Amino acid sequence: IDMINRENGYDMSGFHIHHKYEIYYEVEGTRRYFIEDAAYIVNAGSVVLIGENQIHKTGSVGDTPSNRIVCNFSADYLKEISDSFPELDFFSFLSDENNHLLSNITVKQQNYIYSVLQQLIQAQEDSTPEGQALKKMLLATLLLQLKKMCEAQHEMGGDNGRVTNRIVSQIQSYIAEHYAEKLTLTDIANQFYISPYYLSRLFKKTIN
């Protein structure tokens, strides 16, 4: 687990995979996240969940500061706990494409996630048996809570940050490149040969 603050935009050079799960929490700023064949807009307070061996990368939305926490772990790391509760599935929800972006969560839930991740960071160097147990129990508890939040988000209609339209992705890149200019709905619509009304509806539907 680590926390990185960036003063400027940063784009990963390429896609990558790893044989571990990933919990990504956006503390500050906005990022674009690509997972498998989908793209997501990740705002502060949102969580990205990635399963084992799922190809992914992050990218900037303009040249703006960002602050994030990333936690990677294997199923084996929590083997003692998962074996103790065989009726519970701690991991499969992380690989579900409908759970990649957890964005419909309350400020209280955001604070809880941030608090647990901070505790994991602080306990990272503690190699005592007590420290090892604390980290595993914190992570297992966080996973159960994230699973509940994903289920609640499904009931509310799903996440609101998945970019499913290529035009929207292109428009977002255009805005990021020309953010210092005076942009209007009409000018952007003309740039992409669509009507301002259609652009407004499309943007609202795609990224809320």
Side-chain angles (χ1 to χ4, degrees), residues 179-196:
Y179 71 93
E181 303 171 17
K182 183 179 180 180
L183 299 174
T184 68
L185 181 66
T186 300
D187 290 340
I188 296 173
N190 290 338
Q191 186 72 25
F192 289 88
Y193 306 101
I194 57 179
S195 74

Side-chain angles (χ1 to χ4, degrees), residues 84-125:
S84 297
F85 300 95
E87 72 280 9
L88 296 180
D89 183 350
F90 286 85
F91 309 109
S92 65
F93 78 98
L94 296 163
S95 303
D96 188 333
E97 66 175 10
N98 295 313
N99 293 338
H100 284 321
L101 179 64
L102 187 52
S103 57
N104 291 330
I105 51 179
T106 66
V107 173
K108 184 177 180 180
Q109 290 170 327
Q110 292 172 8
N111 290 338
Y112 165 77
I113 295 167
Y114 182 70
S115 173
V116 174
L117 293 174
Q118 284 291 330
Q119 291 179 70
L120 285 168
I121 290 173
Q122 292 166 11
Q124 186 164 219
E125 303 304 323

Side-chain angles (χ1 to χ4, degrees), residues 137-167:
M137 287 190 286
L138 281 171
L139 180 56
T141 304
L142 176 60
L143 288 173
L144 292 178
Q145 292 301 317
L146 289 172
K147 186 177 181 180
K148 283 185 179 180
M149 292 178 200
C150 287
E151 292 169 353
Q153 180 168 269
H154 289 178
E155 293 176 1
M156 293 169 59
D159 70 73
N160 58 17
R162 181 165 179 161
V163 179
T164 56
N165 192 293
R166 184 171 294 179
I167 289 179

Side-chain angles (χ1 to χ4, degrees), residues 15 32-36 38-40 55-59 169:
F15 286 87
R32 191 192 304 269
Y33 219 114
F34 303 91
I35 308 171
E36 299 287 321
Y40 304 85
I55 190 167
H56 60 283
K57 66 171 283 190
T58 66
S169 182

Side-chain angles (χ1 to χ4, degrees), residues 5-19:
N5 295 296
R6 289 194 171 93
E7 295 298 323
N8 306 105
Y10 165 75
D11 290 307
M12 282 187 173
S13 58
F15 286 87
H16 68 282
I17 62 173
H18 39 67
H19 306 303

